[in-house]
Amino acid sequence: MFKSKKRQFNKILRDIKSIKIQGARNIAKAALRSYSLFPTKQSKKMLLSLRPTEPMLQKVISLAGNVPILEIQNHFDFAQEKINKQVFRLIKSQDIIFTHCHSTNVVNALIYAKNKGKKFEVYNTETRPLYQGRKTSRELKKAGIPVTQFVDSAVSVALSGEQGIKKVSKVFLGADAITKKGIINKIGSEVIAQIAKNQKIPVYIIADSWKFTKKNLSFEQRKLNEVWNNAPKNIKIKNPAFEFVDKKYIKAIVSEFGVLSFKDLLKRV
Ligand code: RUB
């Protein structure tokens, strides 16, 4: 029994560390699951050190031990259901929605809207180097949502409606962290937000408020071989995984508190 729990615990940690489990919400849920197998101070320490750019993981692990696990678990669905209803109201018929990477908060809300009869399309990036965008495309396609995949560097053309591509009407991005000055999300998010702002396309951040943090977060740098495995010697490689998106590019945050401006969201968290 002990051994099998230990194995499960270690597997979850490995899967979080290796990005097999990805996205802020999934990571936080999995961390909570593993903590419940071994609710000790040592487990907390191990879990907290896994992903430095993930305040939601930090929040749930800090709550665990003080608040019943079930209560913490319930928050994920409670927040997602509220978010789904808000996103449903935001989406207009024939919208073309642009998203990036894989965000469960975004994907779940889009699928909810589709199931409730909204007709829209999604444009999506590959999200190199780990191609989380393919996961998004597969899930949306499976739900019957028309989806078009672009390489990351096509983002300007994809958003602006050039070369016979229809112009995007809304950008939905997830978030790993919400801070006082903006959000942190997958690398590439800032350039998407900047181009969208230039093109007068509204950018909505679809994110559970538990991603809010007052801490200064460090930005994860990931393995270099994700970018170029067996690269020739003497070529420098950098692999920043996340970046900051200034609030000036963001029209609103869609959380369990509703569709709020940045200023109004900060009053609630
Ligand atoms: C995932 C990513 C997602 C946020 C929000 O990056 O940037 O947009 O984590 O996701 P990675 P969610 O794949 O490197 O973890 O809505 O699922 O919390």
Side-chain angles (χ1 to χ4, degrees):
M1 181 66 172
F2 179 84
K3 270 194 181 161
S4 115
K5 272 192 178 179
K6 190 79 197 157
R7 258 203 307 275
Q8 283 179 57
F9 177 85
N10 286 334
K11 183 173 179 338
I12 298 174
L13 261 65
R14 267 200 317 277
D15 288 351
I16 293 176
K17 198 74 199 157
S18 66
I19 330 289
K20 204 165 168 191
I21 298 175
Q22 64 74 233
R25 185 179 186 265
N26 291 337
I27 293 166
K29 277 178 100 170
L32 189 65
R33 205 162 56 242
S34 64
Y35 176 79
S36 62
L37 294 166
F38 279 103
T40 65
K41 271 192 181 164
Q42 176 65 5
S43 319
K44 269 198 180 189
K45 220 170 134 192
M46 288 166 81
L47 289 161
L48 287 172
S49 70
L50 283 176
R51 300 282 308 271
T53 323
E54 298 297 348
M56 197 181 200
L57 159 82
Q58 324 239 330
K59 166 114 183 170
V60 302
I61 294 304
S62 314
L63 285 175
N66 305 313
V67 176
I69 301 271
L70 196 64
E71 209 174 292
I72 307 173
Q73 270 168 349
N74 287 344
H75 171 85
F76 294 104
D77 290 339
F78 161 81
Q80 184 73 59
E81 280 163 25
K82 296 266 179 195
I83 288 171
N84 291 350
K85 289 188 178 134
Q86 300 297 336
V87 168
F88 177 80
R89 292 224 289 269
L90 267 183
I91 296 178
K92 299 283 168 272
S93 183
Q94 310 310 325
D95 258 350
I96 299 186
I97 294 160
F98 189 96
T99 192
H100 180 50
C101 195
H102 181 277
S103 154
T104 306
N105 280 154
V106 171
V107 169
N108 284 352
L110 291 173
I111 294 175
Y112 176 89
K114 157 77 189 170
N115 289 344
K116 293 272 174 198
K118 287 279 159 104
K119 299 221 176 336
F120 56 94
E121 274 185 58
V122 176
Y123 290 178
N124 184 31
T125 57
E126 286 181 312
T127 322
R128 277 232 349 120
L130 295 182
Y131 298 99
Q132 291 95 324
R134 292 182 183 174
K135 184 177 176 196
T136 301
S137 293
R138 281 196 196 100
E139 289 177 6
L140 296 179
K141 176 72 195 44
K142 198 168 162 221
I145 299 169
V147 57
T148 308
Q149 176 101 62
F150 291 88
V151 297
D152 298 322
S153 36
V155 62
S156 178
V157 170
L159 281 162
S160 318
E162 295 166 23
Q163 304 181 19
I165 297 159
K166 282 186 274 180
K167 185 171 172 164
V168 165
S169 50
K170 290 182 179 82
V171 172
F172 286 175
L173 296 175
D176 288 278
I178 305 170
T179 74
K180 275 188 184 164
K181 294 182 176 165
I183 62 121
I184 295 171
N185 194 47
K186 176 56 52 192
I187 197 80
S189 296
E190 190 183 32
V191 78
I192 292 169
Q194 285 171 344
I195 297 169
K197 177 95 178 167
N198 278 340
Q199 295 286 333
K200 300 193 168 44
I201 302 166
V203 175
Y204 294 94
I205 303 301
I206 316 293
D208 188 315
S209 77
W210 279 19
K211 294 169 179 176
F212 177 76
T213 184
K214 286 183 180 158
K215 284 192 194 146
N216 276 331
L217 299 177
S218 58
F219 289 86
E220 276 172 48
Q221 305 295 315
R222 287 200 183 146
K223 287 189 198 141
L224 305 184
N225 66 358
E226 286 178 0
V227 177
W228 192 350
N229 204 13
N230 296 323
K233 281 204 177 91
N234 301 326
I235 294 178
K236 270 200 209 158
I237 297 173
K238 299 274 183 202
N239 190 13
F242 297 101
E243 70 184 341
F244 177 72
V245 181
D246 195 287
K247 63 182 176 190
K248 70 181 176 207
Y249 300 120
I250 296 167
K251 170 135 177 116
I253 307 259
V254 185
S255 73
E256 67 275 28
F257 297 131
V259 181
L260 298 178
S261 68
F262 226 91
K263 207 168 134 208
D264 288 340
L265 178 83
L266 293 181
K267 289 183 198 150
R268 304 290 300 267
V269 287

